[in-house]
Amino acid sequence: MQAKETLFADLVQGRAQQFQVPLYQRTYSWTEKQLRQLWTDILEQAELLESGEKASTHFLGSVVLAPSPQNEATFPRWLVVDGQQRLTTLSLALAAIRDHIADGEPDEAERIDEEYLINKRKNGSDRFRLLPTQADRAQFAAYVRGPLSEQAAGGAVAAAYGFFRRKLVEAADPAAPQDVLRIEEAITSRLTLVAVTAERADNVHRIFESLNNTGLKLSQADLLRNYLFMRLPTRGERIYETYWLPLQDSLSNDELEQLMWLQLVLDGDDRVRRQDLYAAQQQRFERSEVSEAEIEAYIKELYRRGALFRRLLHPEVEPNAAVRAHLHRLDTWQAQVTYPALMLLLDRRERRDLNSADTARAMSYIESFLVRRMMCRVPTNNLNRIFQAVPGQLPLDMPVADGLHQLLSAENRFWPDDDELREKVRTAPFYKFGRGHQRKLVLQRLEESYEHPEPVDFAAAQLTIEHVMPQSPGDEWLRMLSEDVVAGESAEDLHSRLQHTLGNLTLTAVNAELSNHPFERKQGLLQGSHLEMNRRIATTERWGADEIRARADELADRAIALWPAPLRGVGRAERSRDWNLAHQVLAALPHGAWTSYGDLAAFIGSGAQAVGNHLANTPGVANAYRVLTSEGKVSDGFRWTPQEVGGDVRARLSADGVRFTANGAADPAQRLSADELALLVGGAEDDQADGEEDTARPIPESQGEQRHADPFYLQLMAENSPERRFFRQLAKNNSSGTVEAVRALFDRWEEIGGSIVHVGNDHFIGANLTMGEAGAPGSGISPLGLLPGPGGGTAYVSLRFLAVQEPFIDRALCVEFLRLLNELEGVDLQVRKPGPDPDFRLSVLEKDRNRDLLVEALMWFRDCWESRGTD
């Protein structure tokens, strides 16, 4: 590659040549903010030219060029790998100057045209010195041919041209005239660029990917588009025009990026984060050499799913009325978190795996899941994870709608049943739950359940939530409540308990008129309402505790009928494909190797108990007996299935090359961790591709130098994700029981809505249990940090951090948190001020009771944090 400083004139002037913006580049994107800054810089340079001062030029940025595949010796063509925004903007500015002076100075206008904008002796697209990406090409070409009046309207290209025309009119103001040709000179000879020119052998994609300059930041969608079209040298133009351009025109860049992420999720990647979309999709393609046909198939599938995605964004385009109603309500709820599940349903319907009636029924389970959780105040922290996991966890042995019902009913999904819903409707302060638009939608659905012959048009009605018994009750209200109090309770206490419950809330367009008036005056206004729920309230003689509770019971009945209940007795949700993966990896266990329930669970993303139950109840799983406890012992619950030969387990293990220590445990040096299991499955595909037999690879005899010299182990060590580095350091400094306990703790923490954030470097790394968006000021918090060693792992409470975070600014809450942690056997945390953060050994978590107590303390912490700022 060659780099040199140049001027715009030197770059584009001279013999006929063309700068082509590739398909993979995003469309022209400069806004008035960038245009204003550039114009200020241009005028500053023009004034310096006018005054005759010799001053330094203004550096505009870089332009990266590479030879085009259509390059000719007599007509050089260059791909603009980076810098197209700058080149397009400067070209539009010169086109505006040309058109501004065309009537008064036609010769100068023609000179500008021929020197900077066109190749005079070329025709067609070759006539333009700059050829933007296809989406901008027609409009840009129209302005270069210009001048334009009615031919083009709208779009960033038109906006930029219009901006420069306006500024040139301002520059010609007789009160302070500016020489337009000086402005042209400033653009062409006072703005410097660094031109980086690549050779044919250079990897242009890598150059584009790694650029970090002063231009607009590339989104994940920009990077992936670049990657795709760089790999379509012969099909790119056709695919761009047929699929990509219509898709790009129908979605914003943010929506397109979301669709790309959803495609990954639907294709089975239930852990990918949206900010990692590009890297994840790139890895998928680069696992094998993808052909142009495969890239085309990916884009066609993206295009097909784009039509489905637009129904989520614009429910009115959905043709089926029942499905459309659910999509409208979920859109009103602002339930973007459910997009993976909704896209799955629309996708499966299009593939004829279910009809519209079943699609609507499945969507009713999603709606109910959200509404019931909100009404029962279940935290929303883990909703992203729940719905992102749906495509991978949906049961494969039942109809789609039934499978979704079962999946959302799993015990670790926390979908409130009828009894809990009824209790919360009666007693919980609904007005303080969820968001305002969600509370309003619940009341709207309850009103619709009365099926009034002349229903209210909620879209047109300006309705707000009204407290029938007001939030600030007068004397008449308190006298009425005093008739309903029980011993030891005041009217004020009763009011405080009932005012925000669902039974006391309704919708009205006359909130200000109802105000805090006595019930008798409100009755008349409510009687004249078009809402059935208000007319029913108006028929009661009084509005006290009994009436509010009776209405709550009625609304609870309606809510139960509206929003289906979860199924009973459903266990934990598991990935539907994980058991096949578990069977594959067990079948691939090398001679002399064993693994644990916890390792296998970590490998497939399940729990150790679920793995044990599955193996105990599934006949024919190869090497199931080689799954032991973390101590290397045969589980007390292990039983041969009736279909298996059986026999002494230890004898079978010995025959398979597993050695035993003096205390009767399997040799820990022969144990395969979750990461090593993952490599077993990955390696099998390569062996088969080469046509070789899968030969058993013996496990080294010790954990010392022999094991670390093993290629298998070296490959594992090369896996360098923060999570793997943490657990490698944890295993190095702690017992296998402690490692298992920490894995179990992480699983429990994620189940209650938390996340794990790893911090550190290659040499030392820790893990923080976090709630909310860790690292974003005021939006995340960490109750506990974990360090893997050396000398044994520890968990610590950062009191200095908590002391400045709501609600733990209240020192009493910090003290209570430590008290709950001290319930663990072997833990004694004290507040030392000043002094290090209180900590305890991770080994105490090997006891199940201690882990349960720790999770209870963390749930208390979570509830405190989530209740911050509420009444």
Side-chain angles (χ1 to χ4, degrees):
M1 292 177 61
Q2 299 177 358
K4 66 175 183 178
E5 186 172 318
T6 188
L7 301 171
F8 182 77
D10 295 335
L11 184 68
V12 302
Q13 266 183 329
R15 64 176 179 168
Q17 60 179 328
Q18 188 173 73
F19 300 90
Q20 301 172 340
V21 180
L23 290 173
Y24 57 76
Q25 291 273 21
R26 62 182 159 194
T27 55
Y28 180 68
S29 306
W30 271 27
T31 65
E32 189 159 325
K33 178 181 178 181
Q34 286 92 22
L35 296 173
R36 280 199 308 269
Q37 181 60 56
L38 175 63
W39 185 250
T40 300
D41 296 335
I42 292 170
L43 290 185
E44 182 179 302
Q45 292 298 320
E47 289 170 2
L48 291 172
L49 285 169
E50 189 75 34
S51 66
E53 293 184 27
K54 291 185 178 181
S56 61
T57 56
H58 177 77
F59 177 64
L60 191 59
S62 63
V63 175
V64 180
L65 306 173
S68 169
Q70 291 87 38
N71 200 13
E72 299 173 11
T74 58
F75 186 45
R77 293 183 175 92
W78 300 95
L79 292 179
V80 183
V81 180
D82 186 62
Q84 67 118 337
Q85 304 286 336
R86 299 181 183 87
L87 294 184
T88 305
T89 304
L90 296 178
S91 298
L92 289 170
L94 289 168
I97 292 173
R98 177 202 62 191
D99 297 340
H100 181 78
I101 65 175
D103 292 337
E105 300 177 80
D107 291 342
E108 290 295 331
E110 184 178 359
R111 177 187 60 79
I112 292 173
D113 202 33
E114 293 178 3
E115 288 185 357
Y116 305 117
L117 299 175
I118 65 168
N119 296 306
K120 185 177 180 180
R121 301 186 185 281
K122 296 290 183 179
N123 297 312
S125 61
D126 287 349
R127 186 170 180 80
F128 304 101
R129 288 187 179 258
L130 176 68
L131 198 64
T133 191
Q134 283 181 324
D136 294 324
R137 192 170 295 172
Q139 194 170 70
F140 177 84
Y143 280 111
V144 170
R145 293 190 190 100
L148 271 179
S149 54
E150 301 176 359
Q151 288 175 270
V157 169
Y161 175 84
F163 171 87
F164 290 119
R165 288 301 301 266
R166 291 194 307 274
K167 291 301 179 182
L168 289 166
V169 171
E170 293 174 11
D173 185 350
Q178 291 175 305
D179 188 337
V180 173
L181 291 179
R182 283 275 187 267
I183 294 175
E184 178 229 332
E185 187 180 356
I187 293 172
T188 58
S189 64
R190 302 293 296 179
L191 301 180
T192 59
L193 299 159
V194 169
V196 181
T197 307
E199 303 294 336
R200 283 194 178 277
D202 292 331
N203 188 326
V204 178
H205 165 62
R206 294 299 182 196
I207 297 169
F208 177 85
E209 184 182 27
S210 61
L211 286 171
N212 182 18
N213 51 46
T214 57
L216 296 174
K217 180 176 174 60
L218 295 174
S219 70
Q220 294 287 296
D222 293 328
L223 290 168
L224 187 52
R225 181 186 60 242
N226 158 42
Y227 180 89
L228 294 171
F229 283 97
M230 274 290 199
R231 280 153 179 75
L232 292 170
T234 64
R235 305 185 183 199
E237 290 278 346
R238 176 180 58 80
I239 294 172
Y240 188 90
E241 292 178 358
T242 307
Y243 302 112
W244 191 270
L245 191 55
L247 180 64
Q248 184 172 272
D249 288 343
S250 67
L251 299 172
S252 69
N253 196 66
D254 183 72
E255 291 165 350
L256 179 58
E257 184 175 295
Q258 192 169 21
L259 174 63
M260 291 171 165
W261 173 76
L262 286 168
Q263 178 131 318
L264 266 176
V265 174
L266 292 175
D267 289 344
D269 195 337
D270 64 358
R271 297 293 179 94
V272 64
R273 300 181 303 171
R274 186 167 159 183
Q275 59 264 41
D276 299 328
L277 149 70
Y278 167 62
Q281 187 62 63
Q282 183 185 34
Q283 287 172 9
R284 278 180 163 242
F285 284 136
E286 292 186 354
R287 285 173 190 161
S288 59
E289 277 298 320
V290 292
S291 64
E292 285 195 65
E294 290 169 305
I295 296 288
E296 179 178 2
Y298 168 81
I299 294 175
K300 288 173 70 173
E301 184 68 353
L302 197 68
Y303 174 79
R304 183 186 70 81
R305 283 173 167 163
L308 304 180
F309 184 49
R310 286 193 292 277
R311 297 182 186 184
L312 306 188
L313 302 174
H314 309 288
E316 62 275 8
V317 303
E318 163 59 40
N320 182 268
V323 173
R324 183 168 63 248
H326 282 293
L327 290 177
H328 264 301
R329 287 195 292 270
L330 290 167
D331 184 57
T332 302
W333 193 270
Q334 296 180 11
Q336 289 86 351
V337 70
T338 66
Y339 280 180
L342 295 176
M343 280 290 289
L344 174 73
L345 294 175
L346 294 179
D347 195 53
R348 298 290 286 271
R349 181 182 66 169
E350 186 164 272
R351 297 176 188 274
R352 302 186 182 279
D353 291 338
L354 73 166
N355 56 30
S356 289
D358 285 335
T359 302
R361 177 164 66 91
M363 288 181 178
S364 76
Y365 299 140
I366 295 173
E367 181 181 328
S368 173
F369 184 80
L370 295 177
V371 172
R372 284 183 176 232
R373 282 171 60 102
M374 186 276 275
M375 295 178 73
C376 296
R377 207 172 194 178
V378 179
T380 61
N381 305 62
N382 60 343
L383 284 178
N384 275 315
R385 177 167 303 210
I386 288 173
F387 284 105
Q388 189 172 341
V390 164
Q393 292 183 340
L394 193 70
L396 304 178
D397 56 353
M398 62 181 66
V400 175
D402 296 334
L404 183 64
H405 196 188
Q406 176 175 297
L407 177 61
L408 294 179
S409 301
E411 64 183 30
N412 54 335
R413 293 296 182 254
F414 309 111
W415 185 0
D417 61 17
D418 291 347
D419 292 339
E420 184 176 359
L421 181 63
R422 192 181 300 279
E423 173 63 21
K424 285 294 193 291
V425 168
R426 213 169 197 270
T427 63
F430 174 79
Y431 189 69
K432 295 293 183 179
F433 291 4
R435 300 173 181 174
H437 63 275
Q438 295 170 343
R439 297 191 291 269
K440 185 176 175 182
L441 182 60
V442 169
L443 286 165
Q444 175 184 321
R445 289 286 286 135
L446 290 169
E447 167 63 26
E448 289 171 342
S449 72
Y450 290 101
E451 298 181 346
H452 195 278
E454 297 180 5
V456 171
D457 181 358
F458 287 98
Q462 300 295 313
L463 301 178
T464 58
I465 296 179
E466 163 73 6
H467 289 71
V468 182
M469 177 177 65
Q471 298 183 71
S472 301
D475 292 340
E476 291 185 42
W477 281 104
L478 292 176
R479 280 196 295 273
M480 181 190 302
L481 288 175
S482 65
E483 300 170 9
D484 299 333
V485 298
V486 297
E489 183 179 43
S490 67
E492 288 79 5
D493 293 336
L494 186 57
H495 170 267
S496 179
R497 281 197 295 110
L498 294 177
Q499 63 170 327
H500 296 313
T501 60
L502 187 59
N504 187 49
L505 302 175
T506 190
L507 292 172
T508 178
V510 291
N511 194 293
E513 296 175 44
L514 291 169
S515 186
N516 296 335
H517 295 308
F519 182 63
E520 290 78 6
R521 183 168 176 183
K522 288 191 172 189
Q523 276 180 302
L525 293 170
L526 293 172
Q527 184 61 49
S529 171
H530 291 292
L531 272 66
E532 182 64 24
M533 65 167 66
N534 289 342
R535 289 198 287 266
R536 294 196 177 206
I537 293 171
T539 61
T540 60
E541 295 181 2
R542 63 193 296 273
W543 195 253
D546 291 341
E547 290 75 20
I548 291 172
R549 293 188 184 110
R551 181 169 180 265
D553 291 340
E554 179 201 351
L555 294 181
D557 289 338
R558 292 184 174 276
I560 288 168
L562 279 172
W563 294 294
L567 300 172
R568 295 181 180 273
V570 178
R572 287 176 53 88
E574 303 290 348
R575 284 185 59 85
S576 57
R577 303 182 187 91
D578 282 345
W579 298 127
N580 288 334
L581 193 58
H583 299 171
Q584 292 173 26
V585 79
L586 288 178
L589 283 178
H591 184 78
W594 64 277
T595 192
S596 74
Y597 293 101
D599 291 323
L600 186 56
F603 167 61
I604 64 172
S606 181
Q609 184 175 357
V611 168
N613 291 338
H614 176 79
L615 295 180
N617 295 297
T618 307
V621 178
N623 293 327
Y625 60 91
R626 289 163 72 178
V627 182
L628 309 175
T629 68
S630 58
E631 291 79 22
K633 301 289 186 69
V634 178
S635 169
D636 292 338
F638 178 81
R639 299 289 185 275
W640 296 106
T641 62
Q643 293 84 352
E644 294 174 308
V645 176
D648 180 69
V649 178
R650 178 162 173 170
R652 291 282 297 273
L653 290 168
S654 296
D656 287 339
V658 176
R659 297 183 300 273
F660 289 87
T661 62
N663 67 353
D667 186 347
Q670 296 178 301
R671 174 181 173 180
L672 296 188
S673 68
D675 292 329
E676 292 167 316
L677 292 175
L679 290 174
L680 276 183
V681 178
E685 296 176 1
D686 295 336
D687 291 341
Q688 292 169 2
D690 294 336
E692 299 174 358
E693 282 189 317
D694 182 19
T695 56
R697 179 188 52 77
I699 300 297
E701 296 182 358
S702 71
Q703 289 179 307
E705 293 182 1
Q706 290 183 6
R707 177 164 188 171
H708 290 176
D710 179 33
F712 178 80
Y713 195 73
L714 291 174
Q715 184 180 0
L716 169 62
M717 295 300 289
E719 297 291 332
N720 209 29
S721 71
E723 179 183 10
R724 288 176 175 174
R725 294 204 308 272
F726 174 81
F727 276 105
R728 282 201 295 269
Q729 292 185 19
L730 191 69
K732 179 180 178 181
N733 298 295
N734 300 269
S735 70
S736 60
T738 298
V739 176
E740 286 285 319
V742 171
R743 286 192 188 276
L745 172 64
F746 284 5
D747 287 344
R748 297 284 296 278
W749 176 243
E750 290 178 334
E751 284 177 7
I752 64 174
S755 59
I756 313 298
V757 175
H758 294 88
V759 292
N761 54 41
D762 289 341
H763 305 292
F764 187 77
I765 190 166
N768 291 334
L769 307 187
T770 65
M771 185 66 63
E773 298 180 23
S779 62
I781 196 167
S782 175
L784 208 63
L786 282 73
L787 299 174
T794 56
Y796 65 93
V797 181
S798 183
L799 291 177
R800 288 168 292 179
F801 172 76
L802 291 182
V804 295
Q805 296 279 315
E806 288 285 0
F808 297 96
I809 291 175
D810 182 352
R811 186 173 183 275
L813 292 179
C814 291
V815 172
E816 175 62 12
F817 184 46
L818 293 187
R819 187 194 68 77
L820 292 172
L821 295 176
N822 286 337
E823 295 286 330
L824 279 68
E825 183 182 342
V827 174
D828 182 20
L829 305 182
Q830 302 296 326
V831 179
R832 296 184 290 272
K833 194 174 182 180
D837 290 324
D839 60 17
F840 59 87
R841 309 292 284 183
L842 290 178
S843 57
V844 304
L845 300 180
E846 294 185 26
K847 294 185 176 181
D848 292 343
R849 174 61 177 161
N850 276 347
R851 281 202 308 278
D852 291 340
L853 288 171
L854 177 55
V855 172
E856 290 176 11
L858 293 172
M859 291 177 69
W860 174 88
F861 182 96
R862 176 202 65 186
D863 293 343
C864 287
W865 184 72
E866 289 181 342
S867 65
R868 68 196 188 287
T870 61
D871 292 341

